[in-house]
């Protein structure tokens, strides 16, 4: 009876995952979707702990260890979630990806050791009317393939995500050497080839080769992420998220657990689709992203030469925005660094009281993780209806009086449209230059995360408003109120 109830719990949990993922596609329902999926996961965990029975009919043991781990992990997770700043969200997402991959790799290691201890056999219990019988069957090639897939993908996800965390937090710099992509390819081929060799000759080879595959996968994860430039990191985070889901699905196959399998497939599929969409938004193939690696350590393209920028005073900025018919705000990473999303929302409300139409233009790869700007503005309770995707925004810019760019750089760089020497050439951008006036708020004239000079800053209709985004917005609000 317990197994039947557990099966129902698993089905319900799988349904909550699907419903939750669907609801996350809309910022208005994303929080409730996350809660629904979380409730399904909690139900699946509790059900497994108390209702799962092995082939011999025995329940799970070591409840003290299980609940001890749950409590410790929950406390750490809650504290991290409460303390994390919006600017550090990409690092946290990378770390979560890495922990998911590490879990899958550890499961593969544990199962492999169990298989080795049983001389590459699996004990399966069969319950008959006359009693219980345990069958000893040889490990199939399919089981070994899934085991190695979880090990390789999980290890790559773990080491790659840890390095991504270090790069996003500024602790690790970009590094690449000549022929590194060939070395990476050789490492991956060797790891997969060795996995295939052990699978085909499992009972005749040394088990040490299993751990050689583990080490090769960890090294490949580091080498895979190390040369990726700053502007490509959102795509890499999305790809690592996909790999963490696929490695989790492998664990679901190993344990014949529908919930883990369903959750892993959903994460893997969603991450893959998101990666493809982001590559499309950058007008680049995934292969180009992985081997092109622009940004960070790369030299800036489109030097400013003798061009000069012009500045605008707070009073002048307040006047042109107060008497505008339409203002479009373009948020970027600088807005997140300053934690100015609430101040930005206040500016929107002040302008709307003066009869100004205010909207936000969101580029798909703005920030340092997928959806970074959407999450940032949602935290400040900005209405979803105010957010425009890139295609819609580009149609609005010609009729826009003022565009206020807050910390965005590469996603508004006109070099992407005409400068074939620029690393971002061909990437669709927000055509803010087609508006009547552009005000750019930045701390300085330094290039953005991709390390590329932005020619927008030197165009005649562009004016620079220097300073921290939060302070500049607060000062701007004060000026607008006084008009």
């Amino acid at each position: 009876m317990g197994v039947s109830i557990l099966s129902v719990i698993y089905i319900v949990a799988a349904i909550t995952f699907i419903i939750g993922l669907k609801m996350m596609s809309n910022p208005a329902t994303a929080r409730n979707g996350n809660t629904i999926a979380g409730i399904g996961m909690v139900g699946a965990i509790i059900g497994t702990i108390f209702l799962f029975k092995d082939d011999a009919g025995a329940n799970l043991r070591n409840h003290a260890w299980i609940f001890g781990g749950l409590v410790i992990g929950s406390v750490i997770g809650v504290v991290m979630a409460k303390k994390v700043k919006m600017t550090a969200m990409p690092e946290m997402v990378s770390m979560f990806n890495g922990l998911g991959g590490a879990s899958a790799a550890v499961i593969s290691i544990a199962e492999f050791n169990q298989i080795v201890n049983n001389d590459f056999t699996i004990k399966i219990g069969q319950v008959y009317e006359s009693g219980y019988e345990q069958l000893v069957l040889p490990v199939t090639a399919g089981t070994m393939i899934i085991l190695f897939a979880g090990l390789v993908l999980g290890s790559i996800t773990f080491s790659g995500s840890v390095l991504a965390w270090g790069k996003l937090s500024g602790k690790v710099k970009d590094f690449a050497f000549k022929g590194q992509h060939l070395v990476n390819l050789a490492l991956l081929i060797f790891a997969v080839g060795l996995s295939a060799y052990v699978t085909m000759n499992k009972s005749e080879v040394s088990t040490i080769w299993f751990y050689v595959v583990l080490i090769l996968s960890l090294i490949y994860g580091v080498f895979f992420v190390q040369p990726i430039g700053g502007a490509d990191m959102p795509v890499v985070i999305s790809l690592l998220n996909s790999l963490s889901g696929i490695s989790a699905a492998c664990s679901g196959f190993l344990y014949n657990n529908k919930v883990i399998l369903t959750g892993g497939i959903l994460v893997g599929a969603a991450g893959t689709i998101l990666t493809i969409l982001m590559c499309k938004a950058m007008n680049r193939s995934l292969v180009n992203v992985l081997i092109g690696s622009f940004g960070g350590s790369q030299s800036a393209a489109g030097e400013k030469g003798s061009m000069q920028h012009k500045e605008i005073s707070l009073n002048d900025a307040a006047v042109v925005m107060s008497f505008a018919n339409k203002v479009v705000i373009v948020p970027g990473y600088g807005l997140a660094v300053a934690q100015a999303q609430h101040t930005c929302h206040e500016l929107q409300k002040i302008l709307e009281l003066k009869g100004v139409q205010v909207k936000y233009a969101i580029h798909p790869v703005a920030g340092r993780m997928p959806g970074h700007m959407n999450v940032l503005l949602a935290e400040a309770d900005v209405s979803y209806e105010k957010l425009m995707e890139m295609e819609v925004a580009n149609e609005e810019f010609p009729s826009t009086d003022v565009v206020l760019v807050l910390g965005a750089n590469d996603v508004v760089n006109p070099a992407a449209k005409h400068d074939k020497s620029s690393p971002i050439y061909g990437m669709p951008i927000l055509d803010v230059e087609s508006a009547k006036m552009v005000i750019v708020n930045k701390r300085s004239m330094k290039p953005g995360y991709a390390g590329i000079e932005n020619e927008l800053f030197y165009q005649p209709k562009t004016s620079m408003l220097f300073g921290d985004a939060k302070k500049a917005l607060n000062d701007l609000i004060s000026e607008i109120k006084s008009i």
Side-chain angles (χ1 to χ4, degrees):
M1 184 63 181
V3 175
S4 299
I5 296 175
L6 183 59
S7 298
V8 173
I9 291 175
Y10 283 170
I11 293 172
V12 172
I15 293 173
T16 63
F17 295 166
I18 297 170
I19 293 174
L21 184 61
K22 175 63 177 176
M23 294 177 69
M24 288 180 196
S25 64
N26 188 324
T29 58
R31 180 173 295 180
N32 290 335
N34 196 37
T35 301
I36 290 173
I39 291 173
M41 177 59 76
V42 170
I45 292 172
I46 299 300
T48 300
I49 293 173
F50 292 107
L51 298 178
F52 176 81
K53 295 181 183 295
D54 61 18
D55 295 325
N59 291 99
L60 289 179
R61 297 176 292 276
N62 298 319
H63 283 175
W65 286 100
I66 294 173
F67 281 103
L70 286 173
V71 170
I72 293 173
S74 298
V75 170
I76 293 174
V78 169
V79 172
M80 289 177 64
K82 290 288 186 181
K83 289 189 174 183
V84 66
K85 296 180 179 179
M86 190 55 61
T87 50
M89 283 299 294
E91 293 96 302
M92 174 167 276
V93 171
S94 292
M95 187 57 68
F96 285 165
N97 288 342
L99 293 176
S103 299
V106 168
I107 287 174
S108 290
I109 293 171
E111 288 303 303
F112 179 79
N113 289 331
Q114 184 71 19
I115 288 172
V116 170
N117 291 337
N118 291 330
D119 295 325
F120 289 94
T121 61
I122 296 179
K123 296 178 180 179
I124 300 178
Q126 294 284 351
V127 179
Y128 302 99
E129 292 183 1
S130 57
Y132 171 80
E133 180 183 358
Q134 191 173 60
L135 303 178
V136 180
L137 303 175
V139 174
T140 64
T143 299
M144 294 296 294
I145 290 173
I146 294 170
L147 190 148
F148 271 109
L151 177 73
V152 172
L153 295 176
S155 301
I156 292 173
T157 303
F158 172 67
S159 59
S161 297
V162 170
L163 187 62
W165 170 84
K167 294 180 72 172
L168 288 167
S169 60
K171 295 179 173 62
V172 180
K173 302 298 182 183
D174 297 333
F175 174 77
F177 55 84
K178 188 176 181 179
Q180 180 170 356
H181 297 303
L182 295 177
V183 173
N184 290 0
L185 185 61
L187 281 171
L188 183 60
I189 291 175
F190 191 22
V192 174
L194 192 56
S195 300
Y197 175 72
V198 175
T199 297
M200 292 185 293
N201 305 276
K202 50 184 177 293
S203 59
E204 301 173 8
V205 299
S206 173
T207 57
I208 192 66
W209 294 117
F210 176 86
Y211 295 98
V212 172
V213 173
L214 170 64
I215 294 172
L216 288 173
S217 301
L218 291 171
I219 295 174
Y220 175 78
V222 173
F223 279 26
F224 162 65
V225 175
Q226 187 66 68
I228 303 298
D232 287 334
M233 285 308 294
V235 181
V236 174
I237 293 175
S238 179
L239 181 60
L240 290 171
N241 177 253
S242 173
L243 294 181
S244 70
I246 297 172
S247 60
C250 292
S251 301
F253 272 116
L254 283 176
Y255 290 133
N256 192 27
N257 187 300
K258 275 70 171 184
V259 172
I260 301 177
L261 180 61
T262 302
I265 290 174
L266 288 173
V267 173
T272 301
I273 293 172
L274 181 58
T275 302
I276 293 172
L277 290 175
M278 295 187 72
C279 287
K280 182 179 178 181
M282 299 173 71
N283 197 30
R284 301 169 67 199
S285 67
L286 180 59
V287 173
N288 182 263
V289 169
L290 298 181
I291 69 175
S293 60
F294 74 82
S297 61
Q298 195 156 349
S299 60
E303 295 298 331
K304 64 180 180 180
S306 60
M307 294 188 295
Q308 295 294 322
H309 67 273
K310 63 179 180 181
E311 297 185 38
I312 188 172
S313 66
L314 278 168
N315 181 262
D316 289 343
V319 169
V320 296
M321 294 181 71
S322 296
F323 292 98
N325 291 317
K326 183 194 296 184
V327 171
V328 173
I329 300 173
V330 178
Y333 186 67
L335 183 70
V337 171
Q339 289 288 286
Q341 59 270 27
H342 294 281
T343 312
C344 184
H345 189 202
E346 185 180 351
L347 172 64
Q348 169 206 322
K349 291 185 289 186
I350 293 294
L351 288 173
E352 287 176 337
L353 287 175
K354 290 182 172 290
V356 182
Q357 181 185 4
V358 182
K359 293 185 178 180
Y360 297 82
I362 311 296
H363 192 283
V365 294
R368 298 189 182 179
M369 73 173 185
H372 198 175
M373 295 301 104
N374 301 74
V375 174
L376 189 74
L377 296 174
E379 185 192 31
D381 295 324
V382 173
S383 172
Y384 176 62
E385 287 70 25
K386 294 287 183 181
L387 309 185
M388 297 186 294
E389 295 183 359
M390 180 174 59
E391 293 78 8
V392 177
N394 285 340
E395 295 177 358
E396 293 274 347
F397 285 132
S399 61
T400 300
D401 298 299
V402 181
V403 172
L404 177 61
V405 180
L406 296 171
N409 198 326
D410 306 308
V411 298
V412 295
N413 193 341
K417 297 191 292 184
H418 63 81
D419 186 358
K420 293 184 178 180
S421 66
S422 174
I424 62 173
Y425 176 70
M427 182 181 85
I429 63 167
L430 292 167
D431 295 323
V432 298
E433 61 178 339
S434 62
K436 297 174 184 176
M437 182 177 184
V438 179
I439 299 175
V440 179
N441 169 247
K442 280 175 61 71
R443 290 176 179 269
S444 68
M445 291 298 292
K446 290 182 179 180
Y449 195 43
I452 304 167
E453 192 68 56
N454 193 338
E455 63 184 50
L456 172 71
F457 303 157
Y458 309 99
Q459 292 188 354
K461 25 167 106 167
T462 301
S463 298
M464 306 299 297
L465 181 64
F466 292 114
D468 174 81
K470 190 171 185 177
K471 183 179 184 306
L473 289 174
N474 276 321
D475 293 341
L476 192 57
I477 289 170
S478 298
E479 290 287 340
I480 292 174
K481 286 181 178 179
S482 66
I483 296 175

